[in-house]
Amino acid sequence: MATQGSKPTLTTTAGAPVPSNQDSITFGPRGPLAMQDYQLIEKLAHQNRERIPERTVHAPGWGAHGVLRITGDISKYTKAKVLQKGTETPMLARFSTVAGERGAGSHERDVRGFSLKFYTEEGNWDMVANNTPVFFVRDAWKFPDFIRSQKRHPKTNLRSPTAMWDFWSLSPESLHQTTILMSDRGIPATPMHMNGYGSHTFSLWNDKGERFWCKFHFKSEQGIKNLTNKEAESRMGVTRDGYQEDLFNAIEEGKFPKWKMQMQIVPEAAAAKFSFDPFDVTKVWPHKEYPLIDVGYFELNRNPENYFSDIECAAFSPSNVVPGISFSPDKMLQARIFAYPDAHRYRLGANYEQLPINRPRCPMAHYHRDGPMNYHGLQTGNVNAYYEPNSFGGAVEQPSAAEPPLRITDEAVVARFDHREGYDDFSQVRELFEKVMTPDEKQRLFKNIAAAMGGVSDEITERQCKLFDRVHPDYGTGVRKALQEVEPGAPNAVPVDEKTPQVVPDKANCSQHA
């Protein structure tokens, strides 16, 4: 790099020195501009292109680099080198909120994304997790509908409590996640004070070809700390970037946050013995029946040097697994295996995994070709090997990486099944409500739900309360009472007028789902 004294010489992106970064080339001191001032054109044109499409969900994000250390022995369950005792693996973490746009306040009541990328010697392994162990829907067919219910109304451009509760009240499978979201844990105080959960059921397989079903847990060693609605409003009145400030400053001060990694693991055949579908992402595995196993921990210890290149351009996907770790019949997981990489191809381009933050740190060889921003060229191992099979020493498959057959049941068929028939959406929520929540927590739950229902029609709120009744009579009664006590002005998206769409839903359309 050329220098002038202790400072580098300013150049164009093509490397030519810039003689002036103060004045344009003009015809006389009063102008007009000369087209030959390509340095000005380059500067303006690049500014026009500084932004890339934001994520459709999980747009606001905060992250850091770190390391995963494995301290437990689970070698009998998996051949994955990243999970062998004593292994240390560099990693990247990105935390996020789901519904808001980039720049949204950190402390909104929302599910938090908890995405981890591990740069293993066998390729990148991504854990695209949340801070809750369950999700709102179990069938991917309903995922776009769910997300749209959380986004802005197409006419008012406002977030709509009506849409949110309308969808939830018509989707009983959402009860478990909704209850957690509206509980004390709905607003984590900082990224360091929340747990992470893989949520889905994944699988492990060992050198013997034996498969095991598993769930991943990441427990904060800083403890759990949450904010009430009022505390969150107060914090966002001071800063909308609280998460970024808390995470960045903690690492800069050497207070490196840690999370304990734990797993629940059962033999493949045990899936048939569950009292519920073990691949249903709206369910947890009870810890008494399927205890947690300590595996290791990860620590975040380095802030990004450039937020855009390390966090905004980071691409996490459940499809990124390594030998010894795999998938399950979970419908939502199966859909995410496609949807996440496809979102990255749209947002970052077909060659997004060539970006330094996404590029594996192990040798690669594949037959993908060309496309925008392919700056590594052909990566097959030989310039003549641009197809397969070939006779020019190109990359070949590795049979030992093949996982064992994925067995479900002997009668299983590929078809469209009713995703509610035969499922119990109430008993686990009942146990959470009856046995886990204290009386004070229940009162806060009621008030949080009532506040979130501001502006929602009586028909929808009552429909939701009837679902709460099926969990426990006190649940529905408590919410109804809180709704009567809610203060005027509580809605977080005030209708424009009485004709605003969704203020008073079409009763005929609502009643057919009641």
Side-chain angles (χ1 to χ4, degrees):
M1 178 185 292
T3 62
Q4 299 181 70
S6 61
K7 298 180 180 180
T9 296
L10 180 66
T11 72
T12 66
T13 54
V18 174
S20 173
N21 196 40
Q22 313 304 322
D23 306 303
S24 305
I25 299 175
T26 59
F27 290 87
R30 295 188 178 185
L33 295 171
M35 276 294 292
Q36 74 177 53
D37 194 350
Y38 70 93
Q39 294 161 351
L40 168 65
I41 294 172
E42 177 183 284
K43 190 171 186 178
L44 295 176
H46 195 279
Q47 184 188 29
N48 288 340
R49 293 162 177 82
E50 285 181 355
R51 298 292 174 264
I52 60 175
E54 70 172 34
R55 293 165 171 85
T56 304
V57 290
H58 295 277
W62 317 272
H65 298 269
V67 61
L68 170 68
R69 296 184 174 96
I70 303 300
T71 57
D73 185 358
I74 59 170
S75 57
K76 65 181 180 180
Y77 302 119
T78 180
K79 62 180 288 182
K81 294 181 179 179
V82 65
L83 295 179
Q84 301 308 307
K85 186 175 181 179
T87 301
E88 294 192 4
T89 304
M91 61 167 291
L92 175 75
R94 182 182 186 269
F95 309 106
S96 56
T97 51
V98 176
E101 300 83 9
R102 188 179 175 199
S106 302
H107 292 92
E108 296 182 354
R109 182 173 295 276
D110 198 354
V111 174
R112 266 59 176 173
F114 196 102
S115 294
L116 312 173
K117 184 182 292 291
F118 303 103
Y119 301 97
T120 89
E121 61 180 280
E122 298 179 292
N124 288 352
W125 171 41
D126 291 356
M127 178 55 59
V128 191
N130 284 329
N131 74 320
T132 59
V134 294
F135 195 61
F136 294 97
V137 295
R138 66 170 63 96
D139 193 314
W141 194 258
K142 300 310 301 173
F143 181 75
D145 300 295
F146 161 66
I147 292 300
R148 289 175 186 136
S149 76
Q150 309 299 301
K151 293 290 188 177
R152 296 180 182 275
H153 189 283
K155 180 176 181 179
T156 67
N157 196 39
L158 297 171
R159 299 274 289 278
S160 172
T162 296
M164 183 170 69
W165 286 102
D166 187 36
F167 182 88
W168 287 341
S169 66
L170 293 169
S171 308
E173 65 271 22
S174 67
L175 271 169
H176 203 164
Q177 177 79 310
T178 302
T179 299
I180 295 173
L181 176 61
M182 294 297 164
S183 74
D184 289 353
R185 295 200 178 194
I187 311 177
T190 79
M192 298 86 77
H193 291 90
M194 64 183 185
N195 294 337
Y197 303 90
S199 300
H200 300 292
T201 298
F202 293 87
S203 63
L204 305 175
W205 48 281
N206 60 23
D207 283 320
K208 298 178 182 179
E210 298 170 321
R211 186 185 297 277
F212 302 85
W213 305 118
C214 68
K215 282 186 176 288
F216 292 91
H217 302 252
F218 303 91
K219 300 296 182 69
S220 170
E221 295 194 5
Q222 293 71 238
I224 299 299
K225 185 178 179 182
N226 306 296
L227 301 183
T228 65
N229 285 349
K230 287 187 176 181
E231 290 170 335
E233 291 170 4
S234 177
R235 183 75 196 276
M236 286 197 291
V238 176
T239 175
R240 299 183 65 79
D241 296 318
Y243 273 27
Q244 179 68 21
E245 294 171 6
D246 293 335
L247 179 62
F248 185 90
N249 290 336
I251 293 175
E252 286 294 292
E253 294 168 5
K255 301 174 183 176
F256 303 146
K258 295 180 181 179
W259 284 260
K260 179 188 293 185
M261 180 179 177
Q262 298 177 308
M263 297 178 67
Q264 293 172 287
I265 304 175
V266 301
E268 183 176 29
K273 301 177 182 178
F274 276 63
S275 61
F276 55 91
D277 181 356
F279 311 117
D280 177 4
V281 75
T282 72
K283 299 288 187 291
V284 298
W285 291 4
H287 291 185
K288 288 184 179 180
E289 298 178 48
Y290 311 100
L292 295 170
I293 299 172
D294 289 342
V295 178
Y297 69 94
F298 75 82
E299 172 186 275
L300 300 182
N301 52 27
R302 180 167 62 88
N303 281 315
E305 288 300 316
N306 184 281
Y307 176 89
F308 176 81
S309 62
D310 284 13
I311 305 302
E312 187 64 16
C313 289
F316 302 85
S317 173
S319 60
N320 283 345
V321 294
V322 294
I325 304 172
S326 190
F327 313 116
S328 80
D330 181 334
K331 295 176 183 178
M332 282 295 295
L333 173 60
Q334 291 286 328
R336 293 176 82 204
I337 291 168
F338 157 75
Y340 275 64
D342 191 56
H344 304 323
R345 286 186 282 267
Y346 154 72
R347 197 173 66 88
L348 301 170
N351 293 298
Y352 68 90
E353 287 186 311
Q354 291 191 26
L355 294 173
I357 196 63
N358 299 319
R359 188 172 174 81
R361 300 182 186 180
C362 63
M364 288 187 303
H366 54 73
Y367 288 86
H368 298 327
R369 280 192 58 181
D370 308 339
M373 307 306 290
N374 178 3
Y375 49 85
H376 287 293
L378 193 66
Q379 298 183 75
T380 64
N382 188 304
V383 68
N384 293 314
Y386 53 93
Y387 54 89
E388 203 280 333
N390 62 74
S391 303
F392 302 101
V396 295
E397 66 265 24
Q398 182 182 351
S400 64
E403 63 182 276
L406 181 63
R407 299 182 182 88
I408 306 172
T409 67
D410 294 337
E411 297 80 19
V413 295
V414 178
R416 294 183 187 273
F417 297 94
D418 187 332
H419 66 281
R420 297 196 181 117
E421 184 178 345
Y423 289 92
D424 173 11
D425 295 308
F426 304 96
S427 62
Q428 286 200 356
V429 189
R430 185 176 302 117
E431 185 163 347
L432 172 65
F433 183 81
E434 283 186 323
K435 299 181 179 180
V436 179
M437 289 186 170
T438 65
D440 287 343
E441 288 175 327
K442 291 177 183 177
Q443 290 303 313
R444 290 192 292 272
L445 172 67
F446 302 151
K447 291 178 180 179
N448 291 338
I449 290 174
M453 284 182 167
V456 181
S457 72
D458 291 344
E459 186 168 4
I460 292 174
T461 57
E462 180 57 25
R463 187 195 307 146
Q464 182 71 40
C465 285
K466 287 180 179 178
L467 291 178
F468 293 148
D469 289 339
R470 295 177 68 181
V471 174
H472 193 284
D474 292 348
Y475 196 169
T477 300
V479 173
R480 290 184 180 92
K481 183 178 179 182
L483 282 169
Q484 295 174 354
E485 298 173 351
V486 71
E487 296 180 4
N492 54 25
V494 180
V496 176
D497 56 38
E498 70 270 15
K499 296 182 180 180
T500 302
Q502 294 190 347
V503 172
V504 182
D506 187 302
K507 292 186 178 181
N509 290 336
C510 288
S511 60
Q512 65 180 333
H513 298 289

